[in-house]
Amino acid sequence: FSMLTDGFSPYLINEGITRAVLELVVKRTSFRIRILTKNAIVGSDEWIQFFGEHKERFVVGLSTGSLNDDWSRKMELGTSSPSERFKALHRLQDAGIPTFGMLCPVFPDMLDNGAIETMIDMINPGKVEHIWAEPYNDRVNWRVVQSSFSPESSAFKWFTKVYEQKRSELWSMYATDLYLRLKGKAVEEGWI
């Protein structure tokens, strides 16, 4: 559910479409439904109650690739802030709703100053069924994303080198670093 679009977009929620679709899927199938959204509404009392009535049928994740609420407001228009998403994920976990961690896309600045490790901690690795992570990998929209960073920042410079100067080895190093750090944390903390 919500693979290419967010089934919890404000319009779909307000029109009752999301709930109607999920009720049909629950009623007419035996599928386990994986919810992926950037809308913290899934952590509201109403949705926690709905998921709780069908705990064996749902696993819920909130896609987050940054810890920076201010940056996210500029880049991820119409979505809940990362801090709101983490709060929603924690509310779901505290209510016993199955969850998964979705670090996606992880922007290059998240590899600076231990930010990726902080983000991993924020999803509560011991409470999620799985952790999914994906590096930023867009060759069409990169200038828009780059413009959301300060021109002096390492992230802005990274976009110039990787996408404008076509230095693909830097992207490979970034993706490798992301996955190795995720794996290293998992091994160190015993949740691999």
Side-chain angles (χ1 to χ4, degrees):
F1 186 78
S2 310
M3 290 296 292
L4 298 175
T5 62
D6 194 333
F8 279 81
S9 70
Y11 173 78
L12 296 174
I13 291 287
N14 293 337
E15 294 296 314
I17 295 169
T18 300
R19 185 158 185 138
V21 168
L22 290 176
E23 287 174 347
L24 279 172
V25 174
V26 167
K27 182 179 178 182
R28 295 186 180 182
T29 75
S30 60
F31 299 151
R32 184 149 193 249
I33 305 150
R34 180 177 300 275
I35 302 289
L36 175 60
T37 185
K38 289 189 178 195
N39 191 341
I41 198 167
V42 294
S44 69
D45 290 340
E46 175 188 353
W47 283 102
I48 286 175
Q49 180 180 346
F50 178 79
F51 297 135
E53 291 168 2
H54 312 282
K55 266 188 197 173
E56 72 288 350
R57 300 293 301 279
F58 288 100
V59 57
V60 183
L62 288 109
S63 179
T64 308
S66 176
L67 296 171
N68 188 322
D69 286 353
D70 293 332
W71 180 84
S72 180
R73 272 189 275 287
K74 291 188 291 187
M75 194 61 237
E76 299 180 310
L77 304 178
T79 67
S80 300
S81 69
S83 62
E84 291 170 327
R85 289 179 232 168
F86 289 124
K87 285 178 193 168
L89 186 66
H90 298 164
R91 289 199 76 220
L92 290 159
Q93 292 167 343
D94 291 346
I97 307 301
T99 60
F100 65 99
M102 186 63 159
L103 310 177
C104 175
V106 176
F107 294 97
D109 64 319
M110 292 303 298
L111 298 182
D112 297 340
N113 305 314
I116 187 65
E117 288 79 10
T118 299
M119 189 162 59
I120 293 166
D121 289 340
M122 294 296 294
I123 61 171
N124 293 328
K127 293 185 177 183
V128 296
E129 289 186 359
H130 298 96
I131 297 174
W132 302 84
E134 182 178 326
Y136 177 83
N137 189 23
D138 178 21
R139 292 173 185 90
V140 177
N141 198 35
W142 70 268
R143 287 188 193 277
V144 173
V145 177
Q146 180 190 42
S147 70
S148 66
F149 293 100
S150 163
E152 299 82 34
S153 70
S154 63
F156 188 96
K157 293 172 185 172
W158 181 89
F159 278 93
T160 299
K161 291 174 187 172
V162 170
Y163 293 106
E164 188 174 301
Q165 298 172 3
K166 311 268 189 247
R167 297 200 41 211
S168 61
E169 78 280 3
L170 295 177
W171 186 91
S172 294
M173 290 169 44
Y174 144 74
T176 300
D177 189 24
L178 168 64
Y179 290 124
L180 289 176
R181 287 170 65 183
L182 180 63
K183 182 181 178 187
K185 190 159 176 60
V187 169
E188 178 183 313
E189 295 177 359
W191 49 265
I192 195 158

